[in-house]
Amino acid sequence: MAQFSFEGRSAQGQSVKGEIAGASVDAVAAVLVGRGITPVRINEVSLGASLVKRINVVLGSEQVPVVDLVMFCRQMYTVTKAGIPLTRGIRGLAASVRHEHFREVLNDVAEKLETGMSLSRAMRQHPKVFDSLFVSMINVGESSGKLDEIFRQIGFYLERDEETRKRVKSAMRYPSFVVVALVIAFVVINIYVIPPFAKMFSKFGAELPIVTRGLIATSNAFTTYWPAMLIVLVMLVGGATYYLRTEQGAYLWGGKKLRLPIIGSLIERASMARYARSFSLMLSAGVPITQSLSLCAAAIDNPFLSAKIQQIRQGVERGETLLRTHLQAELFTPLVLQMISVGEESGQVDNLLRDVAEFYEREVDYDLKTLTDRIEPLLIIVLAVFVTLLALGIFLPLWSLYDVQTGGM
């Protein structure tokens, strides 16, 4: 079937845009009318436009920003709390969504709701937008009749998780910029600065210091073998990227980055905060412990930690306590383990896990505020060594030549 783009008006008078597959314009119009949309314009999507859309998909146009999901959860909380029918509410929200793919997904969810499908099952058809944790929470909300509260909790969880991610990226922006600038300076100096000095020094035939000889050798390697070096670099980056996408590579890197200097502990605590908050969210919604742990393992974007959480789940299935399984994981501080123990004894594991998440988030906030202060001395040392080697390599021969000239006068 051909693809058609359309513009129309909802029953509330809101403007609706999107794309839909159909046999003809009349068939598309009939489908839109059945959805409660009055079509204003229907055009067949050209082959060129369809090709552009496929390219955009490859470039990530189907990736829905977390901000849009947070806004959707907040709006759905209002819709469900007000008692508005889900189909009408979702269609109304789709009309106001700017992200094209997200709008299409919401319209598809509304269409499936009209056929009698449950909301969680309709959302499960779009795993790239609604992950397993999201869908499971919606399923619990439907079963318990607390869908409005579930949407509120999911929105809060996504918002806190995104805030932590943004703070980590913001803290790493300055060091990353310095490192990139240093690499660019290193390449430019080796290609454009050192070769003229090397030619000048070769004319005098004097014995050069070892630092100068090292700089000249590095510069010659850059200017002579740069095609081979570029090919090797591309192969190394491509090979590393491919390996890290494999199951074994992702697992090994997941464990290694937790032991990186300075930022390793920060990544670990941020991941633990995400685990504790998602686990608390699932338990407070009434999801069984084993299923909650499986969903939390899928929500953690670190295969090494996911494997640890799966080990915790297996221990619980064998009848072991949460305290014992978390102790065997060797990931949590004694204070956190004590909080989990108290939670088990008092029957308030979800509340204590929420406290654990807040504990880790406070530690992450403090570390992020001091991260730049801890990295700056290391960057200064690296820059100082780089400048010192460059200065010695260039100026020592110049001083030697000056001494030779003045001594001969």
Side-chain angles (χ1 to χ4, degrees), residues 15-321:
S15 176
V16 181
K17 297 180 181 180
E19 291 189 5
I20 187 173
S24 63
V25 174
D26 293 336
V28 171
V31 172
L32 293 175
V33 171
R35 293 182 179 180
I37 299 174
T38 303
V40 176
R41 183 180 304 157
I42 300 176
N43 296 317
E44 185 175 357
V45 178
S46 63
L47 182 62
S50 178
L51 180 61
V52 170
K53 184 176 180 181
R54 292 179 182 178
I55 295 175
N56 290 334
V57 169
V58 174
L59 296 176
S61 64
E62 292 187 352
Q63 187 69 32
V64 179
V66 177
V67 176
D68 289 351
L69 286 174
V70 172
M71 290 301 300
F72 168 72
C73 290
R74 288 179 177 177
Q75 292 169 337
M76 284 302 297
Y77 167 71
T78 304
V79 167
T80 52
K81 193 173 183 62
I84 300 174
L86 287 178
T87 304
R88 192 169 72 179
I90 291 177
R91 287 206 183 279
L93 295 180
S96 62
V97 170
R98 295 183 179 180
H99 194 282
E100 181 179 354
H101 179 65
F102 194 29
R103 182 171 59 246
E104 294 175 355
V105 168
L106 292 181
N107 283 324
D108 182 70
V109 169
E111 184 176 351
K112 287 181 170 57
L113 288 175
E114 290 173 344
T115 63
M117 188 179 294
S118 66
L119 180 60
S120 58
R121 188 179 174 189
M123 288 181 169
R124 190 173 284 112
Q125 310 300 317
H126 304 279
K128 293 183 179 180
V129 178
F130 306 108
D131 58 20
S132 56
L133 187 145
F134 196 111
V135 173
S136 297
M137 289 291 295
I138 296 300
N139 187 22
V140 171
E142 288 178 311
S143 303
S144 62
K146 298 180 179 179
L147 196 56
D148 55 340
E149 183 63 21
I150 292 298
F151 272 116
R152 187 188 67 81
Q153 292 180 2
I154 295 176
F156 177 76
Y157 165 77
L158 292 175
E159 185 177 19
R160 291 299 297 267
D161 192 51
E162 183 65 11
E163 285 178 0
T164 302
R165 289 174 179 268
K166 287 182 178 179
R167 285 197 295 266
V168 172
K169 290 181 180 179
S170 178
M172 295 302 298
R173 189 174 295 122
Y174 168 71
S176 301
F177 175 78
V178 173
V179 171
V180 171
L182 187 62
V183 171
I184 294 175
F186 179 76
V187 173
V188 170
I189 288 172
N190 276 282
I191 294 177
Y192 297 103
V193 177
I194 295 179
F197 283 98
K199 291 180 181 179
M200 182 181 67
F201 295 150
S202 64
K203 292 180 180 179
F204 293 93
E207 181 71 19
L208 298 177
I210 187 172
V211 177
T212 306
R213 294 199 301 270
L215 289 176
I216 293 175
T218 304
S219 176
N220 290 336
F222 267 88
T223 55
T224 305
Y225 303 107
W226 68 266
M229 295 174 67
L230 183 61
I231 292 174
V232 171
L233 179 63
V234 171
M235 291 178 63
L236 287 175
V237 173
T241 302
Y242 173 79
Y243 178 70
L244 292 178
R245 289 181 178 178
T246 63
E247 184 177 350
Q248 181 183 6
Y251 178 84
L252 290 176
W253 172 239
K256 291 290 185 183
K257 66 182 179 181
L258 298 180
R259 294 187 287 272
L260 291 174
I262 301 178
I263 64 172
S265 62
L266 178 64
I267 295 173
E268 181 179 1
R269 281 179 291 203
S271 300
M272 289 297 96
R274 186 179 189 184
Y275 159 69
R277 186 164 293 280
S278 59
F279 195 16
S280 170
L281 182 66
M282 299 299 289
L283 291 179
S284 62
V287 181
I289 290 180
T290 53
Q291 184 181 353
S292 298
L293 288 168
S294 297
L295 293 172
C296 291
I300 296 292
D301 54 354
N302 186 322
F304 178 80
L305 294 177
S306 296
K308 291 284 187 180
I309 297 172
Q310 290 290 2
Q311 291 175 8
I312 294 175
R313 179 187 63 81
Q314 293 170 3
V316 172
E317 289 178 342
R318 291 193 300 266
E320 299 178 5
T321 63

